[in-house]
Structure formats: structure tokens, C-alpha cells
Amino acid sequence: MHLVEFTLSRPPASGQALPEQTLLDVLWSASRPGGGIEHIRVHPSRAGARGVVFCLAADGRQALLRVRSLCERAVNQAPALHGWRLTAVGPAGPDRA
């Protein structure tokens, strides 16, 4: 199990921050069976959102790739995240080097 951090940035003119539950729903909708995503925690802000994912993967590199793919699918497929972008993905907690 690996803990991976991510940051999503929203366009400056996109209005109010999205509710936490909306962001969670979008991220879970972008997950795939067998993708290793076990738990998602997200904190919305005026700038976008920061979060962490507990991911099952053979190693830290694979966990980073899985979370990157998850976030990119969410940003590219969800109308609620139109104009948003993934700005950071990296190890968190004990996986951080």
C-alpha cells in the first residue's frame, strides 16, 4: 500500500471552490476496477484541491502512475472539472524520499 499526494488546479475564473463530496464523486467515477485505488481524501480550496490516495501497487513508481492516471481521467472526463489540470503527483508519508 502506497500513499500518494496530488494537487489539482482550477482555472482562475471558475467561480467558487467545488464541494469535497463533488470532488470525491468525480475521482471515484474515474477509478477503474483493479486500479488499486483503496481510499481517497481530498481538500478543496479556492485554487483547486489537494488530496491523497491510498493505492495498492507493486512499488511506489507504479502507485504514482496509477494516481496520475486517475487524476488525469477525472480532469479530462468530468464536466465539473472543465479547465482544471493536474499540477502535482508525488509520494506522501513514509514513501516520501
Side-chain angles (χ1 to χ4, degrees), residues 32-48:
R32 298 206 168 132
I37 306 302
E38 293 290 313
H39 181 74
I40 302 171
R41 186 84 173 141
V42 65
H43 301 279
S45 72
R46 289 186 304 242

Side-chain angles (χ1 to χ4, degrees), residues 21-97:
Q21 191 59 52
T22 299
L23 290 165
L24 283 171
D25 290 347
V26 164
L27 289 163
W28 278 114
S29 293
S31 68
R32 298 206 168 132
I37 306 302
E38 293 290 313
H39 181 74
I40 302 171
R41 186 84 173 141
V42 65
H43 301 279
S45 72
R46 289 186 304 242
R50 294 185 66 181
V52 294
V53 175
F54 284 93
C55 182
L56 290 174
D59 56 36
R61 183 178 177 278
Q62 185 180 39
L64 293 174
L65 291 172
R66 288 180 176 198
V67 174
R68 177 177 295 281
S69 294
L70 168 73
C71 292
E72 288 175 346
R73 277 193 305 275
V75 166
N76 292 326
Q77 296 174 0
L81 298 185
H82 178 74
W84 287 50
R85 60 191 177 92
L86 175 63
T87 53
V89 175
D95 285 342
R96 181 176 279 168

